[in-house]
Amino acid sequence: MELLVLNTSFESVAVVDVFESCIWTDRYRQCGDFEIYTPMDVSLLAFLKPDYYLWSQDSEHTMIIETLNIETDTENGAHLKVEGRSLESILDRRIIWGQKVLKGNLQDEIEKLLNETIISPSIAERKISNFVFQKTDDPTITALTIDAQYTGDILYDVIKNLCEDNKIGFKIVLNDQNEFVFSLYTGKNRSYDQIENPYVIFSPSYENIINSNYLESKKSLKNVTLVAGEGEGASRRTTIVGSGKGLERRELFTDARDISSDTGDNHLSDSEYMNQLVQRGKENLSENIATKTFEGEVEATQMFKYNSDFFIGDIVQIENEYGHTGKAYISEFIMSQDKNEISNYPTFETIQEEGESEQ
């Protein structure tokens, strides 16, 4: 793995290709991250600085250097550990300033949100001059709507939760004009249940999965939430989101006191206000789901190559030796390299088939 170091003007100032270990992770609905561990090199330290960037030809994501840690050991010598997150973490630097109502087309409302917080904010100091919004005409995304309200929330959390709730991805990529380009997206379907794209299959029978780990857990599952909005005590406005009965019912409380019927410009009707409480409840439930994941070490030289044959967010066909098979989207991809080998680890989030119980 060869990494280019870019300064804050996006000029290439160094190449990092010798280290004890490097872990680079791309993600679909969250920011990615990296970690480099290498013997201490004073000359390299001059170029590895917080707020500098790391670029790899193996990924469309660019990382921001955030942490430098020099570890000294009399037996093993000094080592440098460098860590950071991908460009999506820029959203973590802004909050929803004041009260904001999002209502209508999801993509349009997220664009307005980014305009007000980053692209063309009323407070000039909040502006990031090279940040741009790129619209998509993907019908899966253009058909989505939103009716929600936020006050003081971290921008990254809002967008991440909206994408998780609507089962889409988001990314910020560095283009040739050195712009941070934000976009919403969905992966392509490369499973057996379509004919538009070439199939991508990960299976021991194809010898492209070396090791695998299947995980199924309901530990964090919540399927019903009581959402409480404005008001005090017994007068608080509430609604119930989700369903379940008996042992299958797993409850959660959602405090939505910050959602107000008085938005300043107008007064929400009862139905409009309840729609916003429902949206908040859905977002909370989307963070407390049952998980089915299938991790596997990919043989990078066999059949399918990351960022060529398949990409983050794509739906692929998977199976292991024990009968677990079906389609799944690629939620993250980890590239790891040490002195001995290069390893690639995709994480597959299984897709629930229509009619399959969520309980």
Side-chain angles (χ1 to χ4, degrees):
M1 190 183 301
E2 182 177 271
L3 306 177
L4 293 184
V5 182
L6 311 178
N7 62 19
T8 54
S9 298
F10 307 105
E11 300 164 329
S12 178
V13 294
V15 175
V16 182
D17 57 3
V18 177
F19 32 69
E20 287 193 8
S21 68
C22 176
I23 302 173
W24 180 293
T25 304
D26 293 337
R27 295 190 176 93
Y28 184 39
R29 296 177 184 144
Q30 301 180 49
C31 61
D33 51 48
F34 78 93
E35 178 189 294
I36 296 173
Y37 189 73
T38 184
M40 184 61 190
D41 184 336
V42 176
S43 62
L44 185 60
L45 188 62
F47 299 106
L48 292 174
K49 299 179 179 181
D51 294 329
Y52 276 28
Y53 305 93
L54 287 181
W55 179 90
S56 169
Q57 65 177 1
D58 299 318
S59 170
E60 70 170 336
H61 295 272
T62 301
M63 300 287 180
I64 304 173
I65 297 174
E66 296 179 309
T67 304
L68 300 178
N69 183 18
I70 300 174
E71 303 173 350
T72 58
D73 185 298
T74 54
E75 185 173 327
N76 299 314
H79 282 78
L80 174 64
K81 183 162 70 173
V82 187
E83 298 174 294
R85 295 176 293 168
S86 57
L87 292 179
E88 292 79 20
S89 65
I90 292 172
L91 304 177
D92 196 40
R93 306 183 186 191
R94 296 290 185 272
I95 63 169
I96 308 299
W97 203 273
Q99 186 183 54
K100 178 64 178 176
V101 175
L102 304 181
K103 184 178 177 62
N105 179 272
L106 177 67
Q107 180 173 224
D108 291 343
E109 292 303 296
I110 289 179
E111 181 179 15
K112 291 177 185 176
L113 200 56
L114 290 170
N115 281 333
E116 293 178 8
T117 54
I118 295 178
I119 299 172
S120 53
S122 57
I123 301 175
E125 290 81 2
R126 305 184 79 200
K127 179 182 177 67
I128 299 176
S129 59
N130 64 326
F131 195 106
V132 298
F133 184 92
Q134 180 176 286
K135 275 198 168 184
T136 177
D137 58 2
D138 183 340
T140 302
I141 293 175
T142 57
L144 297 172
T145 60
I146 183 175
D147 190 349
Q149 185 180 139
Y150 302 97
T151 303
D153 299 75
I154 295 172
L155 180 62
Y156 172 81
D157 292 339
V158 170
I159 292 178
K160 177 179 73 70
N161 291 340
L162 287 174
C163 287
E164 288 177 347
D165 187 38
N166 288 282
K167 297 179 173 55
I168 61 175
F170 72 100
K171 60 184 175 182
I172 300 175
V173 299
L174 182 67
N175 68 10
D176 292 339
Q177 290 73 48
N178 294 327
E179 295 174 318
F180 298 140
V181 182
F182 176 97
S183 63
L184 302 172
Y185 73 107
T186 57
K188 291 186 177 181
N189 191 343
R190 304 180 189 277
S191 70
Y192 286 150
D193 67 351
Q194 54 81 43
I195 58 174
E196 291 80 14
N197 302 303
Y199 298 144
V200 173
I201 308 101
F202 291 100
S203 165
S205 63
Y206 284 89
E207 298 183 346
N208 58 1
I209 288 283
I210 303 173
N211 303 301
S212 66
N213 178 33
Y214 177 82
L215 171 66
E216 182 174 353
S217 174
K218 286 189 174 182
K219 180 180 179 180
S220 300
L221 173 64
K222 303 294 181 181
N223 52 22
V224 177
T225 180
L226 172 63
V227 187
E230 61 188 0
E232 296 295 333
S235 298
R236 286 192 74 174
R237 304 178 70 177
T238 63
T239 190
I240 298 172
V241 179
S243 63
K245 63 182 180 180
L247 282 174
E248 299 301 328
R249 187 178 180 93
R250 300 169 184 244
E251 298 177 345
L252 176 70
F253 179 74
T254 299
D255 188 351
R257 190 187 303 273
D258 60 305
I259 297 180
S260 172
S261 58
D262 183 2
T263 64
D265 297 329
N266 54 41
H267 193 85
L268 298 177
S269 67
D270 286 344
S271 62
E272 289 174 329
Y273 185 77
M274 286 301 171
N275 286 341
Q276 295 191 3
L277 292 187
V278 169
Q279 174 65 31
R280 183 63 60 82
K282 288 180 177 178
E283 291 177 13
N284 204 1
L285 288 177
S286 72
E287 298 176 5
N288 295 272
I289 61 175
T291 57
K292 288 184 181 181
T293 61
F294 181 65
E295 300 173 351
E297 182 181 351
V298 172
E299 173 51 64
T301 62
Q302 295 288 333
M303 297 186 68
F304 307 114
K305 186 176 180 181
Y306 177 56
N307 273 338
S308 176
D309 301 304
F310 67 95
F311 302 82
I312 284 288
D314 282 357
I315 298 171
V316 298
Q317 200 73 27
I318 60 168
E319 60 183 45
N320 65 6
E321 303 95 319
Y322 306 106
H324 295 110
T325 183
K327 59 182 183 179
Y329 73 88
I330 300 172
S331 61
E332 70 177 11
F333 195 88
I334 303 171
M335 293 171 281
S336 175
Q337 180 176 340
D338 57 27
K339 293 180 291 186
N340 300 315
E341 63 180 354
I342 298 175
S343 301
N344 296 292
Y345 298 90
T347 297
F348 306 100
E349 296 284 346
T350 60
I351 298 173
Q352 181 176 287
E353 300 293 346
E354 188 172 348
E356 181 183 346
S357 173
E358 294 182 359
Q359 309 307 323

